[in-house]
């Protein structure tokens, strides 16, 4: 099978979903109304609440939600074959992920930009609000640690990637000052300058890597972690228009541009899909994901299909910057569809590798010896390693195999056939940039949630413009996720991230259902209720199997680090399900009460 019919079918399906289903959600379900003032105008403080152009905010929102998930998840799930991941990406993004993002964005915007936890509190009361807030904080810290660790692993000792990503910060500063202070409103001029500067930084990064400056930008993992913590703190404290928004807007050009180029590359090159539709590992025992295709394909692929983390962005920075209600359709539903496309393209890229090469990259040498007995043999890998000038066998985690797959496709485009090494290093940098833009927004969102909690002790923390509160909560947040990066590894963080993230999606979809009922849209509550039940079933099954087969054996191992690792993961899993149980009970009481309280004003 070749990829061209596949990518054309995917593009048509996503276009139809946006044209018709999102229009239905906007007009009938949420009833978007541009005559209503949004919080960005009503509470404009130039710091967190700020009216933002639709496409700038689209870039910021897309950059914020697009982390490791849509790139890494489909690559790891390809162990089961390309078909399970493809079906989940398409069905999940249209009927679950984009719906969740859109409904929560509109709800938060109509509740003055409040967080998901505050919406739950208004709908279900203080106890449920505390439970939701704790769940949100757990997920945020774990998610930021997991995403940050991927960045650290991808950029360590890479002068090219580190230089290019570092340069996006001063470029973003200049764009923010240019568009809002030097020549207010001249967004087009700022965009042209920023994009040209970014492309120059990407090209110049190769020269830096082979110059005397290489040692300056070749950072160790600990140095990168400290640098990332410093950046996360700075981006959380500064006004959104000065660094966060223009940097994410700028990064979105590289992200969307690269994905667009890859879509074109797939159409032009029409690579053969070499991985089978289904492998024998759908029954379990896989070398990358040990569980069965159900439920683990739904936990391995999060972002790209449905992700609870997105609900935090949709109720975090984005609703505070929406200029018109109608913008929510493009920003909430549209950005998620693009992320689904990212996941599909990543799956196609890695599926174009020979099965033996795919597994040789993504598993250790010891595990690969066992795969040889099953008929998986290396085909092109030695030639590819020679051409990219890197040893890639045994580089687990998904990022390297994706970069190889992307580079193979891009280097076969007419006129670009001699640049495989360049494309490989470009793709590694692209993946790191994709993830890093989630760190800045995620840190800011965690700061908002922590401020809401601490506001119960000191009312000053509730004020978004109180600088000491902003500094203290930002510092606590970066130290928390930084600690997990310093002391953990991808094997200790990622399994917990998968469970926590999808449980948060259950909470978000459940909150969306309550909000629709509060708006009097009982006849439409199925649009969030059905995906909520499905995600709950798959995540609960996965959590039980991970606890039984991974967390509890770690505790029983007798090795101190494994005991701590298993105890922390099992405790967090139990706490998250306890929070979910509280929310479910409070929701049951409200739905069965005579008068459902409307916390969100009528639409």
């Amino acid at each position: 099978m070749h990829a061209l019919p596949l990518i054309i079918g995917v593009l048509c399906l996503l276009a139809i979903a946006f044209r018709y289903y999102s229009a239905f959600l906007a007009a009938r379900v949420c009833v978007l109304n541009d005559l209503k003032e949004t919080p960005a105008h009503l509470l404009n403080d130039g710091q967190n609440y700020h009216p933002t152009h639709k496409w700038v905010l689209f870039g910021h929102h897309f950059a914020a939600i697009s982390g490791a998930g849509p790139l890494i998840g489909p690559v790891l799930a390809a162990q089961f074959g390309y078909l399970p991941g493809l079906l989940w990406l398409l069905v999940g993004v249209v009927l679950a992920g984009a719906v969740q993002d859109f409904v929560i964005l509109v709800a938060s915007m109509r509740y003055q930009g409040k967080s998901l936890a505050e919406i739950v509190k208004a709908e279900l009361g203080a106890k449920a609000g505390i439970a939701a807030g704790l769940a949100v904080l757990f997920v945020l810290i774990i998610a930021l640690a997991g995403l940050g660790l991927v960045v650290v692993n991808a950029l360590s000792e890479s002068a090219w990637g580190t230089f290019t990503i570092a340069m996006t910060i001063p470029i973003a500063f200049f764009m923010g000052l240019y568009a809002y202070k030097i020549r207010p409103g001249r967004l087009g001029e700022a965009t042209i300058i920023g994009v040209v500067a970014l492309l120059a930084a990407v090209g110049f990064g190769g020269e830096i890597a082979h110059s005397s400056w290489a040692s300056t930008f070749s950072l160790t993992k600990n140095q990168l972690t400290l640098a990332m913590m410093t950046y996360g703190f700075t981006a959380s404290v500064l006004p959104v228009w000065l660094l966060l928004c223009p940097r994410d807007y700028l990064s979105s050009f590289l992200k969307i541009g690269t994905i667009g180029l890859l879509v074109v590359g797939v159409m032009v090159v029409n690579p053969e899909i070499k991985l089978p539709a289904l492998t024998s590992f759908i029954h379990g025992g896989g070398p990358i994901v040990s569980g069965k295709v159900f439920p683990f394909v739904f936990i391995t692929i999060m972002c790209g299909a449905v992700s609870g983390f997105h609900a935090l962005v949709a109720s975090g920075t984005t609703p505070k910057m929406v200029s018109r209600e109608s913008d929510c359709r493009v920003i909430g539903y549209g950005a998620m569809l693009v992320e689904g496309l990212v996941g599909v393209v990543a799956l196609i890229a890695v599926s174009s590798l020979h099965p033996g090469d795919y597994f040789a990259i993504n598993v250790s040498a010891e595990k690969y010896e066992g795969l040889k007995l099953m008929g998986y043999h290396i085909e092109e890998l030695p030639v590819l390693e020679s051409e990219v000038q890197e040893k890639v066998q045994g580089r687990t985690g998904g990022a390297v195999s994706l970069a190889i797959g992307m580079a193979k496709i891009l280097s076969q485009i007419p006129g670009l056939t001699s640049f495989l090494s360049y494309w490989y290093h470009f793709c590694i940098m692209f993946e790191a940039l994709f993830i890093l833009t989630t760190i800045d927004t995620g840190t800011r969102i965690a700061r908002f949630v922590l401020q809401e909690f601490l506001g119960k002790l000191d009312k000053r923390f509730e004020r978004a413009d109180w600088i000491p509160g902003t500094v203290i909560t930002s510092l606590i947040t970066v130290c928390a996720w930084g600690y997990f990066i310093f002391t953990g590894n991808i094997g200790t963080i990622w399994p917990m991230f998968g469970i926590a993230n999808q449980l948060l999606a259950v909470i978000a979809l459940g909150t969306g259902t309550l909000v629709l009922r509060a708006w009097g849209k009982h006849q439409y509550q199925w649009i969030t209720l059905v995906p909520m039940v499905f995600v709950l079933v798959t995540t609960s099954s996965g959590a039980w199997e991970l606890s039984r087969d991974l967390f509890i054996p770690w505790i029983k191992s007798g090795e101190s680090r494994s005991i701590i690792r298993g105890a922390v993961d099992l405790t967090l899993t139990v706490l998250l399900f306890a929070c979910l149980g509280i929310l479910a009970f409070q929701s049951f009481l409200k739905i069965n009460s005579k008068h459902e309280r409307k916390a969100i004003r009528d639409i």
Side-chain angles (χ1 to χ4, degrees):
M1 177 180 178
H2 287 268
L4 182 58
L6 193 62
I7 194 67
I8 291 176
V10 168
L11 290 173
C12 290
L13 176 63
L14 297 182
I16 292 170
F18 181 77
R19 172 62 182 85
Y20 293 103
Y21 195 41
S22 73
F24 162 73
L25 295 175
R28 295 291 187 88
V29 180
C30 295
V31 194
L32 300 182
N33 183 0
D34 283 345
L35 296 179
K36 288 190 174 184
E37 272 198 298
T38 64
H41 293 281
L42 290 171
L43 304 175
N44 187 359
D45 59 6
Q47 179 77 11
N48 298 297
Y49 292 86
H50 187 78
T52 305
H53 190 279
K54 175 173 66 176
W55 293 113
V56 175
L57 189 54
F58 175 91
H60 159 73
H61 184 79
F62 174 73
I65 65 174
S66 300
L71 294 174
I72 304 303
V75 173
L76 301 180
Q79 165 200 276
F80 301 115
Y82 70 83
L83 187 59
L86 178 65
L87 293 177
W88 172 229
L89 282 166
L90 294 178
V91 175
V93 72
V94 171
L95 299 180
V99 172
Q100 172 205 263
D101 293 11
F102 175 72
V103 171
I104 294 300
L105 175 59
V106 175
S108 179
M109 178 189 65
R110 289 178 175 167
Y111 205 65
Q112 306 303 305
K114 290 294 185 180
S115 70
L116 181 66
E118 287 296 301
I119 297 174
V120 171
K121 177 183 176 182
E123 285 292 322
L124 298 178
K127 291 181 180 178
I130 292 173
L134 287 174
V136 166
L137 275 176
F138 287 154
V139 173
L140 274 171
I141 298 303
I142 295 168
L144 292 172
L147 297 175
L149 192 57
V150 174
V151 173
V152 168
N153 290 338
L155 289 183
S156 62
E157 310 299 337
S158 174
W160 188 354
T162 302
F163 170 79
T164 304
I165 289 177
M167 287 303 297
T168 62
I169 298 174
I171 293 172
F173 267 124
F174 177 79
M175 286 181 64
L177 290 171
Y178 190 94
Y180 290 101
K181 297 296 181 182
I182 300 174
R183 287 175 64 81
R186 302 284 184 168
L187 179 62
E189 295 177 8
T191 300
I192 293 172
I193 295 172
V195 170
V196 171
L198 178 61
L199 292 176
V202 172
F204 196 62
E207 300 298 323
I208 290 291
H210 297 93
S211 71
S212 58
W213 285 88
S215 59
T216 304
F217 292 97
S218 295
L219 305 181
T220 65
K221 291 184 178 181
N222 287 344
Q223 289 173 329
L224 277 170
T225 301
L226 289 173
M228 193 161 53
M229 291 172 66
T230 302
Y231 169 72
F233 174 82
T234 304
S236 177
V237 170
L238 291 177
V240 288
W241 61 265
L242 183 58
L243 176 58
L244 183 71
C245 198
R247 186 188 181 280
D248 287 353
Y249 175 63
L250 180 64
S251 299
S252 68
F253 275 94
L254 182 60
K255 291 180 175 184
I256 297 175
T258 303
I259 292 301
L261 179 62
L262 191 56
V263 169
V264 173
V266 169
M267 291 181 171
V268 173
V269 176
N270 191 19
E272 181 183 357
I273 304 296
K274 296 185 176 69
L275 283 180
L278 298 172
T279 69
S280 60
F281 301 123
I282 60 173
H283 304 296
I288 301 173
V289 181
S290 60
K292 299 178 181 178
V293 66
F294 181 92
F296 282 96
V297 73
F298 305 103
I299 296 173
T300 305
I301 298 178
M302 297 171 284
C303 303
V306 59
S307 168
F309 181 81
H310 293 190
L312 305 184
V313 180
S315 63
T317 54
T318 303
K320 297 175 176 63
M321 296 186 282
V322 175
S323 184
R324 300 185 307 169
E325 283 202 352
S326 61
D327 294 350
C328 291
R329 182 185 171 196
V330 170
I331 296 166
Y333 197 93
M336 183 56 192
L337 289 186
V338 176
E339 181 169 304
L341 177 62
V342 172
V344 171
V345 170
L347 183 61
I348 290 174
V350 78
S351 297
S352 67
L353 298 176
H354 289 281
D357 294 345
Y358 164 78
F359 283 112
I361 298 172
N362 283 294
V363 302
S364 64
E366 293 77 16
K367 284 187 177 181
Y368 188 69
E369 290 301 317
L371 289 172
K372 285 182 180 180
L373 301 177
M374 300 177 65
Y376 292 102
H377 298 289
I378 291 175
E379 302 280 348
E380 294 182 289
L381 204 55
V383 176
L384 292 173
E385 287 184 330
S386 175
E387 291 184 355
V388 302
Q389 302 173 35
E390 295 277 1
K391 180 168 178 57
V392 299
Q393 186 173 351
R395 296 282 296 273
T396 61
V400 172
S401 58
L402 175 59
I404 288 286
M406 290 175 63
K408 274 190 65 179
I409 293 173
L410 294 174
S411 65
Q412 292 178 55
I413 297 175
L416 303 177
T417 54
S418 301
F419 298 98
L420 183 61
S421 178
Y422 174 89
W423 283 120
Y424 170 77
H425 290 93
F426 174 85
C427 291
I428 287 290
M429 179 275 301
F430 159 78
E431 292 175 45
L433 182 64
F434 222 108
I435 298 164
L436 192 59
T437 48
T438 308
I439 298 295
D440 48 25
T441 302
T443 301
R444 198 178 190 94
I445 294 169
R447 185 256 286 181
F448 289 150
V449 175
L450 193 55
Q451 280 186 272
E452 290 171 355
F453 263 107
L454 295 179
K456 296 174 176 59
L457 302 176
D458 187 334
K459 290 293 183 182
R460 291 178 297 178
F461 278 100
E462 293 182 346
R463 290 168 41 199
D465 60 347
W466 190 50
I467 300 302
T470 297
V471 172
I472 291 170
T473 51
S474 297
L475 189 60
I476 292 173
T477 299
V478 298
C479 287
W481 58 256
Y483 168 79
F484 279 103
I485 295 177
F486 276 121
T487 58
N489 57 60
I490 201 69
T492 65
I493 295 174
W494 202 261
M496 191 62 237
F497 176 34
I499 294 173
N501 190 49
Q502 297 308 73
L503 282 180
L504 185 58
V506 173
I507 293 173
L509 288 165
T511 303
T513 303
L514 292 172
V515 166
L516 294 180
R517 294 177 66 89
W519 290 346
K521 300 290 183 178
H522 294 65
Q523 70 273 31
Y524 297 127
Q525 62 184 331
W526 56 268
I527 69 169
T528 50
L529 188 59
V530 172
M532 182 201 76
V533 172
F534 179 80
V535 176
L536 176 60
V537 170
T538 56
T539 307
S540 300
S541 302
W544 165 250
E545 292 192 29
L546 277 175
S547 298
R548 181 192 63 196
D549 300 334
L550 196 63
F551 302 158
I552 293 176
W554 279 345
I555 295 174
K556 293 180 178 179
S557 67
E559 200 271 318
S560 58
R561 290 190 64 180
S562 295
I563 293 173
I564 295 173
R565 179 173 62 185
V568 169
D569 283 358
L570 186 60
T571 300
L572 287 177
T573 301
V574 172
L575 286 174
L576 283 169
F577 273 97
C579 292
L580 189 62
I582 294 172
L583 294 173
F585 179 70
Q586 294 294 329
S587 299
F588 176 80
L589 292 179
K590 177 178 178 178
I591 291 173
N592 287 276
S593 65
K594 291 183 179 179
H595 303 287
E596 290 191 32
R597 178 162 47 92
K598 287 189 178 183
I600 298 181
R601 292 186 172 89
D602 57 48
I603 59 175

